[in-house]
Amino acid sequence: MKTYQIVGIGNAVVDVISQCDDSFLDHMGIEKGIMQLIERDRGEVLYGAMEGRVQTPGGSVANTIAGAGALGIDAAFIGRVHDDALGRFYADAMNEDGVDFVNPPVPGGELPTSRSMIFVSPDGERSMNTYLGISSELSSADVPNEVAGQTQIMFLEGYLFDKDKGKTAFMEAARDCRKGGGKPGIAISDPFCVERHRADFLSLIENELEFVIGNEAEIRSLFETEDLEEALAKTAAICPLVVCTRSGDGVSVIAGETRIDVPVTKVVPVDATGAGDQFAAGFLFGLATGRDLETCAKIGNVCAAEVISHIGPRPEKDMRAVLQAEGLL
């Protein structure tokens, strides 16, 4: 079995993107500018109503792994897709992007492949309607021991914490990773996800993980405080490496007694989707290739800046060339 530098476990979601005007949103009862979870029937109606569909493989941690793989490290992604047209598209697209999609699409009578119907208005607003489908059914059976136990870095997606079998899969995968000498960590994903599972989240971070990455709201939610400095200190007390993205205020990295604050150049984003995912891609690429934490954060910032300069959650430029131009490779 191949040894990877980074393996991600997360929701395998096909992003289906279509342009529309506001009257279409009103007609279809779509709330503008937000992400809504929808049921299967609603998903099929919206999918059928889309014109000029553009499909891309998505999912938060999947975007991170694709970004890290594009920077040149051996990368794999573990997610659950159905053996339907969208599932086969997802698996093939990840493989074509240079990321090994570990599990084949699941045949039989299970739920369809997860998809997010994204309607882009003329003003650039993205209205997202996500049907979670089969991806949220991921369990320990989907995580091969030989993959988890032989990766340098494992990156987990907090969204999968919503089901007990997802929690169990995370704990077992993290333990396998650590036994093999690797570093498991998590993307917090969403403050509301933390609120639903705070005790389990904190237990996983304290007992099983080597690093945690989140934005200000997510880090604050771990300890139910509005004081970011308090939340950072408490998180650093239970986890060896804490990385907090702070939008235009830069990034704070805490490892033991060491704290590094790395500024960013403020820009107006064309589309902020994927900024956190691509920051994580750059940061974890740096970590996997032995760079110091300040350089890791700087690489992450450059990757985030690129992805917010255009529509879509994955980089469009050759990021190795961009990082070389910045003197970071």
Side-chain angles (χ1 to χ4, degrees):
M1 176 60 72
K2 182 175 180 179
T3 298
Y4 295 99
Q5 289 170 284
I6 188 166
V7 172
I9 304 178
N11 278 310
V13 182
V14 178
D15 287 340
V16 188
I17 304 168
S18 176
Q19 295 184 314
C20 72
D21 56 24
D22 287 355
S23 64
F24 176 87
L25 297 179
D26 290 340
H27 175 68
M28 298 302 294
I30 297 168
E31 194 165 345
K32 185 175 179 178
I34 67 165
M35 194 283 280
Q36 288 184 303
L37 291 178
I38 57 174
E39 297 299 325
R40 180 174 178 173
D41 291 349
R42 171 73 168 162
E44 290 174 355
V45 168
L46 293 181
Y47 185 78
M50 300 180 92
E51 294 184 1
R53 292 188 293 252
V54 176
Q55 295 178 175
T56 62
S60 176
V61 163
N63 289 335
T64 293
I65 300 304
L71 288 169
I73 60 176
D74 289 326
F77 179 69
I78 295 172
R80 193 168 176 84
V81 298
H82 188 69
D83 189 13
D84 53 19
L86 284 180
R88 291 188 291 274
F89 162 79
Y90 191 98
D92 291 344
M94 290 294 282
N95 288 323
E96 287 165 11
D97 282 345
V99 174
D100 287 354
F101 190 73
V102 173
N103 298 331
V106 178
E110 287 211 46
L111 296 168
T113 295
S114 311
R115 76 280 313 257
S116 182
M117 276 65 67
I118 302 169
F119 296 91
V120 182
S121 320
D123 59 4
E125 283 277 10
R126 293 159 67 89
S127 307
M128 307 168 84
N129 302 265
T130 303
Y131 167 60
L132 287 178
I134 195 174
S135 72
S136 62
E137 297 298 314
L138 185 136
S139 71
S140 299
D142 298 302
V143 186
N145 289 13
E146 60 270 27
V147 174
Q150 295 190 62
T151 182
Q152 189 178 337
I153 293 172
M154 172 168 286
F155 197 38
L156 308 173
E157 183 174 313
Y159 285 125
L160 283 175
F161 237 57
D162 270 330
K163 294 202 172 178
D164 287 342
K165 53 188 170 184
K167 293 178 189 178
T168 301
F170 276 8
M171 283 187 281
E172 292 179 1
R175 287 170 188 166
D176 287 341
C177 179
R178 291 173 73 192
K179 277 182 199 168
K183 292 181 182 295
I186 197 166
I188 297 176
S189 296
D190 189 325
F192 299 110
C193 198
V194 175
E195 287 173 15
R196 291 192 292 271
H197 311 285
R198 185 171 286 105
D200 287 337
F201 242 108
L202 291 173
S203 176
L204 182 75
I205 291 168
E206 182 170 10
N207 298 310
E208 309 293 350
L209 301 184
E210 299 293 324
F211 67 91
V212 60
I213 299 178
N215 62 29
E216 292 175 274
E218 291 160 357
I219 295 290
R220 286 198 306 263
S221 70
L222 286 172
F223 291 96
E224 297 181 271
T225 176
E226 289 301 308
D227 186 334
L228 178 62
E229 293 303 317
E230 177 189 358
L232 284 170
K234 286 183 174 180
T235 309
I238 63 170
C239 189
L241 176 61
V242 181
V243 184
C244 179
T245 58
R246 306 171 68 176
S247 299
D249 293 327
V251 180
S252 297
V253 182
I254 303 175
E257 298 298 315
T258 302
R259 174 169 175 160
I260 302 161
D261 292 295
V262 180
V264 294
T265 302
K266 292 186 180 183
V267 296
V268 177
V270 173
D271 175 10
T273 309
D277 301 340
Q278 293 310 317
F279 170 84
F283 187 92
L284 295 175
F285 162 79
L287 206 61
T289 52
R291 288 165 166 83
D292 64 81
L293 294 175
E294 183 173 3
T295 302
C296 291
K298 287 179 177 178
I299 293 172
N301 285 342
V302 171
C303 291
E306 190 280 338
V307 82
I308 65 174
S309 70
H310 57 77
I311 290 175
R314 296 192 178 184
E316 293 182 348
K317 294 180 182 175
D318 177 347
M319 290 310 299
R320 286 191 66 87
V322 172
L323 292 170
Q324 284 168 346
E326 295 279 344
L328 291 169
L329 276 190

